[in-house]
Structures are given as C-alpha cells and as structure tokens.
Amino acid sequence: MDISVKVLALSRGGSPRLGATADIGPRYQDIVTETPASVLTRQTYLEALPIAAAVVGVKRKKLVIHSANDAWHRLDRQRVSGRDHVLDGVGCVDDIIAVLNGDAAGRQIEWRDGGLIDGRYFTVSVAPLFASNQADARVLVTLMDRTNEVQTERSLRLEMLTDSLTGLMNRAGFVEHLEQRMSDDGSENYAVIIVDLARFSRVNECVGSVGGDELIITVARRLLSTLRGYDLLARTGANEFVMIVRLVDGPGDVLHVAQRVRAVLSPPCKLSDFEIKVDCAIGCALANEQGVDPEELMRHAQIALKEAKRTQRVEMYQPAALAASNRRFTLETELRRALDSESLDMAFQPLMSLETGRIAGFEALARWNHPDLGIIPPNEFIAVAEESGLIVPLGRWALDRALATLKRWDLTADRILPLYVGVNLSAIQVQRDDIAGLVAAALREHGLCGYRLSVELTESAIVADPDRAGRTLDALKSVDAMVAMDDFGTGFSNLASLQKLPIDTLKIDRSFITGMLGDPDKVAIVRAILSLAQALGMTTTAEGVETRELAQTLAALGCTTGQGFFYAPALESDEALRFALDSLG
C-alpha cells in the first residue's frame, strides 16, 4: 500500500534547526512515498489512538511524516490558523529534531490553534520511537485537544475573580490586576482609592438583603460613571469598593476623583418606600514608593480609610500612619502577653480631703514598663486595649490588683486602714462585662467591704446606655461599692438621668481646674458643678490640683477631695502605703 506524506524542508547546513535564516522556514516542498511492510500495522496502531497522532522522521535532511491517523488529517484540514500544515502551525520542529538527534528524551509544549475567542488548545507531545540506527530515527507526535478543559478553567477563574452581584472584579481579581499594572507601569503614575459605605448594615436591617443588594448595584453603577477610560473599579467587600486611578495631572487627580465619587453618591437612592442617603469614607494611597507590592499598597489605602472614618474627610496615606499602625499592632501583641504574664504594674495617686488635709484614698492607675519598648503611656496602651477588646481583661486585672494591694496594706499595718481605692472601668467593659458580679466576686475574694472600693466610670459609659448603666450602678450599690463619674464636664451628661442614677462622687476634669485661679469662666464652671453635686447629695473630687492656693480655693468653694502633684504623683505600692501612714499619723 502506497502512503503519501508531506516533507518539511530543513536547514542546508546539516544541523536541522528551524528558522536559521530568513529564507528557511516551515514550507512543504515535495511528496515522498513509503511502502514498508510494517506500514499497515503502524497505521492500525495510530488509528486506535483517540487523539491526533503522527510518526515523524528525517529523510535526506527533510522532516518526513511517515504515518498519521484520521484525527491528525481532520485537524490538518481545518486550517484555523491559516497554516499549510499542522506541524507548521504548532512550531514544534525544533523539539522534534532535538528528540530525533537524541538531545532530549521527549518534549511537551502547549499550542493554541486560532485566536483567543475561537481558538482550540492542544498539548503537543514528542516522544522517541525505537530505531535500529540513527538514520531510521523517528518520533511519535500527538496532539491532545484540551479546549474544553481550558475553557472550563478560564470560566472558573473568571468566576473566582469576579463579584457575582455587580460583575466587577472582586478583591482577588483586583489585586491580580494591580500587580500586573505595577509590573507594567514603571512611571508609577496611578493611585488606589477605597470607598467604604457607611451604615450599610442598618440598610440591610431596614430593607432586607435584597434591598441591600439593590443599593450595592446602584452604587456600583454610579461609581462606574466617575471612571475615565484607563481607570478600574472593583468590589472588595460587602460595602467596600476600590479604584485604580491613573494620575494624568499629578496627585491632584485623586482628589478630583474623590469629589466626583461624593457628588454621584450624594443623591438619595430609592429603595422600596425609602430614600436612603449614601454616606462614604474615602482613603487613598499613591503608588510612589519603590518595592511596594499590591497587598501593601492596598494596606496603605486601608490605613488612610480608617483615618477618613475618624475625620470624615478624604484622607491620603502618610508613611507615618503605617508606623503608627504597626506600633498599635505591636502594642496589642505585647499587651496580651503582659496580661497573660501579669507583668503590668500599678501606681496609686493619693486622694486628699480638702477639709482635713488627710488622705481619704487612692486612685489606682495602670502602668506599663516594657523591657524593650520602655515606658508606654497609659493613654496609648489603653486606647489599644479598647480597640482590640483587651480592655475587658485589663479592667479585670486592675480591679483584682487594686483590691489585693489594699488588703495587703491592711495586713502590713495590722489594722483596717480608713482608705478606699478608686478603679477606672471602661465604657466598653461596662457594655460587655458583668461589672456588678465581677466587683462582688473580687470583694469576697479579698475579704473587703464594698465601701472601700470606688468604681470610676466616664460620662460616655453612662450616657451611651443610661438604662444599662442604671442597672449596673444599682447592682454596685447593692454590694456597698461607691460609684464616681470620672472627667465630669467633658461629656454630655443628661441632668435628668444624673438625678436618677446612684452616683456618689463627681470628679471634675482637670481641664477646668488647671489655670482656674486666673480664669473667671473656669471658676464659674467649677462653682456650678460643686453646687449641682451639693444639690444632688454627691461628693466632689478635683483633678489636677498643683498649688496650695488652688487647694485652698477649692476647699473654700466646697469641693470634697483633691488629687494632683501638689499632694503627690502616682506612687508605687510600698511608697503609697508609707505616704498613707504618714498622713494618717
């Protein structure tokens, strides 16, 4: 049986390499006829293969297809790529020659036949066949059609990188695109803008999840209208969108885009029977730092967004903000370890009776001297504790340490000292913890009466939820603990609620006390607070007493106790006990 096969021209130089010169290329030049005895058997094996396959060899320095199955010929006739022959389109001639020459045990390449839309995808394998001599060397070339697999993979990948609700890129898709943009754009003339919708959870509560989805789609359409041709929008969270914005006229473009965003979101969105005004916070980060990866750039924008939520303004990322953020996370980690190892300290600032000049009690103050970070101010680590939720264990630790110290002072003095200790509890702890149960258990554990403890709460802890605060204060009074309102005058106390709540002491904030003698307005405010406390049957404590004249004036006005550097700073435990014993006599 005669079989006609096509032959691919090779280099004239003997070493068969494709494209050695411009005039040598994959052109089929003549027809060669083979009639070996094994052709029929070989053809039968090839036809049994479910994929396109051909046996290829070299004859007179020409690449020869000795046999091919029907699948190969069908593929050869389709001419999707406009090629003359399938090997011509695949571009695997060098691989075939390398295997024929014994330079490789086998080769495998990926080939797309056609364009991105209508193309077909193949895995092309070149494997050597047994030959009795070098001249008779042949290879088996197979083409496995992977079109369905590639299309399915592409669809799944597209689904993974796309937000199903809006059709925009999701976070994974956006980061991938941003990475590509950062690698391609050496000029770094773009920025990332994050838009966070406020009160979105309340919208869901009001109109349901379907209404919430409708709002998100509406916002997405409005945000798309703000983009220019080279900008990109993605949805990266439930109520968060992010943009890549090209900077044509410099960083000022970012503010222009932010203004457009706020302008398009300002008209109310109509959902069911409601018209909802969409407020947002906007944080921006410029891609102007060498070595910043996409995730880090996104993190910079998130830091700016957090600041924007606080200031209610469009915020640009500042490098110092990252250092502050890293320090907060460091402090959070170290504070958790300090609480676990009980390595925090406590200081005690005297509370002095302005009438007798003798000590009445102490305010317990947490202190933290880190072995590596040094002394960390209370306002810094307490803010971190409140933000991270560590304020609850911190408050429990402070209560236990203060009462344990007071009990130890009694044992050291061999008598019950006429002293009480004030412990500050955060508004967050009041909301999350069983304060009354915690106080009762701590008093029982240390064998102390309730009147020796003053629980100090800020106005915000009481005003935020007056009903809950009232129940908590009533429960505290049931165990005879005293209650003080700290920093009075700096918040927005409801006087009607103040009248009803069982508060024992108002602590006048130091901002009214400092410089009071030279400021008639401050004197008037302090006088009004003292009169209010007297009318409600409450005692008063003035913070920030630094001079004898100030102490005498406060005493003349009727203030009950004072604390400040005039008497003593915050003292260590043993030093505080010596101060108390000296004062008591």
Side-chain angles (χ1 to χ4, degrees):
M1 178 175 64
D2 293 338
I3 298 177
S4 298
V5 295
K6 294 181 179 179
V7 180
L8 185 63
L10 301 181
S11 167
R12 299 184 182 86
S15 176
R17 289 289 182 266
L18 181 65
T21 59
D23 63 314
I24 298 176
R27 298 188 301 273
Y28 292 90
Q29 296 180 344
D30 52 17
I31 301 297
V32 179
T33 302
E34 281 190 337
T35 58
S38 59
V39 167
L40 181 59
T41 302
R42 183 175 63 202
Q43 190 67 29
T44 301
Y45 286 147
L46 290 176
E47 296 296 346
L49 295 175
I51 57 178
V55 175
V56 179
V58 173
K59 187 171 184 180
R60 293 192 295 274
K61 297 183 180 180
K62 295 179 180 179
L63 203 59
V64 178
I65 299 178
H66 294 281
S67 300
N69 60 9
D70 287 341
W72 180 282
H73 292 304
R74 284 195 302 272
L75 183 62
D76 195 28
R77 290 192 297 268
Q78 289 174 357
R79 301 178 183 275
V80 175
S81 300
R83 51 185 157 63
D84 294 330
H85 189 271
V86 66
L87 288 183
D88 192 357
V90 172
C92 63
V93 174
D94 285 349
D95 299 280
I96 292 174
I97 294 172
V99 175
L100 286 172
N101 291 341
D103 297 339
R107 293 288 179 88
Q108 191 173 81
I109 62 173
E110 301 299 322
W111 172 50
R112 186 183 74 232
D113 183 25
L116 289 172
I117 304 300
D118 62 345
R120 297 170 65 188
Y121 296 83
F122 297 88
T123 296
V124 181
S125 299
V126 180
L129 296 175
F130 174 77
S132 57
N133 55 68
Q134 179 69 21
D136 197 30
R138 298 178 182 183
V139 295
L140 177 66
V141 181
T142 58
L143 284 79
M144 179 179 293
D145 192 338
R146 297 180 55 250
T147 304
N148 291 337
E149 178 185 345
V150 170
Q151 290 177 346
T152 300
E153 180 181 342
R154 183 182 296 168
S155 298
L156 290 174
R157 178 173 176 77
L158 182 63
E159 185 176 343
M160 290 174 56
L161 301 179
T162 303
D163 174 53
S164 59
L165 179 61
T166 61
L168 302 172
M169 285 184 179
N170 59 17
R171 182 180 179 87
F174 181 81
V175 170
E176 185 175 293
H177 181 88
L178 180 59
E179 184 174 6
Q180 184 64 40
R181 178 78 67 94
M182 293 179 73
S183 63
D184 293 344
D185 192 350
S187 61
E188 300 173 339
N189 57 344
Y190 57 92
V192 169
I193 300 176
I194 297 181
V195 180
D196 185 270
L197 307 183
R199 302 183 298 118
F200 181 68
S201 60
R202 294 179 59 187
V203 173
N204 274 339
E205 293 173 1
C206 180
V207 299
S209 58
V210 175
D213 290 347
E214 184 179 347
L215 176 63
I216 290 295
I217 293 172
T218 302
V219 169
R221 289 173 179 169
R222 292 187 182 184
L223 292 178
L224 282 171
S225 70
T226 68
L227 301 183
R228 300 160 296 181
Y230 30 72
D231 299 338
L232 178 74
L233 176 68
R235 183 188 179 205
T236 55
N239 59 326
E240 182 180 279
F241 293 85
V242 62
M243 302 174 174
I244 299 180
V245 177
R246 185 176 175 186
L247 306 180
V248 179
D249 298 321
D253 279 0
V254 177
L255 299 180
H256 294 156
V257 173
Q259 291 171 356
R260 292 202 302 271
V261 167
R262 286 194 160 169
V264 298
L265 294 183
S266 60
C269 298
K270 186 173 179 58
L271 300 176
S272 300
D273 296 329
F274 302 96
E275 286 191 353
I276 298 175
K277 175 71 166 60
V278 179
D279 295 321
C280 66
I282 302 176
C284 316
L286 302 177
N288 56 4
E289 294 185 48
Q290 294 291 336
V292 176
D293 59 32
E295 286 290 354
E296 192 170 0
L297 186 58
M298 286 284 289
R299 188 163 63 251
H300 291 176
Q302 289 284 359
I303 292 172
L305 177 66
K306 182 177 180 180
E307 182 67 11
K309 290 179 180 180
R310 186 184 68 84
T311 64
Q312 301 298 310
R313 300 193 305 263
V314 177
E315 293 289 345
M316 297 286 292
Y317 166 76
Q318 302 296 332
L322 180 59
S325 178
N326 290 338
R327 178 171 173 83
R328 285 195 298 271
F329 279 110
T330 299
L331 290 181
E332 178 182 340
T333 301
E334 295 302 318
L335 181 58
R336 183 174 286 106
R337 292 173 179 170
L339 287 170
D340 290 341
S341 61
E342 296 189 356
S343 56
L344 294 175
D345 299 317
M346 180 160 282
F348 300 85
Q349 186 168 33
L351 300 167
M352 306 298 292
S353 170
L354 294 178
E355 181 180 1
T356 65
R358 302 176 67 184
I359 190 165
F362 289 92
E363 180 180 2
L365 302 168
R367 294 292 183 262
W368 187 13
N369 188 357
H370 191 277
D372 298 322
L373 302 176
I375 296 175
I376 300 170
N379 60 338
E380 185 176 9
F381 72 78
I382 289 175
V384 170
E386 290 183 332
E387 182 179 337
S388 63
L390 291 174
I391 193 66
V392 173
L394 179 60
R396 292 182 176 185
W397 169 85
L399 179 63
D400 182 77
R401 176 65 68 87
L403 293 181
T405 302
L406 186 58
K407 182 64 176 180
R408 183 169 57 82
W409 288 346
D410 287 349
L411 295 175
T412 303
D414 198 25
R415 60 191 171 104
I416 297 178
L417 297 171
L419 301 173
Y420 69 90
V421 63
V423 178
N424 294 278
L425 295 182
S426 166
I428 296 175
Q429 186 166 12
V430 173
Q431 295 171 0
R432 298 181 183 179
D433 216 349
D434 178 14
I435 300 298
L438 183 66
V439 167
L443 289 171
R444 285 194 305 269
E445 180 180 353
H446 298 291
L448 295 172
C449 295
Y451 69 86
R452 303 193 67 193
L453 171 67
S454 175
V455 177
E456 298 188 6
L457 303 174
T458 61
E459 285 187 79
S460 60
I462 297 174
V463 175
D465 189 349
D467 293 336
R468 181 183 179 88
R471 293 191 298 271
T472 300
L473 299 188
D474 287 337
L476 288 173
K477 298 304 294 182
S478 68
V479 295
D480 295 329
M482 295 185 294
V483 177
M485 180 181 282
D486 198 12
D487 300 332
F488 183 76
T490 60
F492 302 93
S493 295
N494 184 315
L495 295 183
S497 298
L498 188 64
Q499 181 184 10
K500 297 176 183 178
L501 295 173
I503 297 174
D504 299 289
T505 303
L506 292 183
K507 297 193 70 173
I508 307 172
D509 187 71
R510 68 176 61 249
S511 61
F512 300 113
I513 303 301
T514 302
M516 185 184 80
L517 297 181
D519 190 338
D521 291 337
K522 288 187 177 181
V523 173
I525 292 173
V526 171
R527 190 190 300 272
I529 295 174
L530 294 174
S531 299
L532 174 65
Q534 184 179 8
L536 296 175
M538 302 176 185
T539 61
T540 51
T541 298
E543 301 176 320
V545 179
E546 298 182 354
T547 64
R548 182 181 302 276
E549 293 77 13
L550 187 55
Q552 291 173 344
T553 301
L554 288 168
L557 292 173
C559 187
T560 312
T561 57
Q563 71 179 107
F565 287 154
F566 170 65
Y567 303 108
L571 306 171
E572 293 184 359
S573 172
D574 293 340
E575 191 177 1
L577 176 59
R578 288 194 295 270
F579 182 94
L581 294 177
D582 291 342
S583 176
L584 293 171

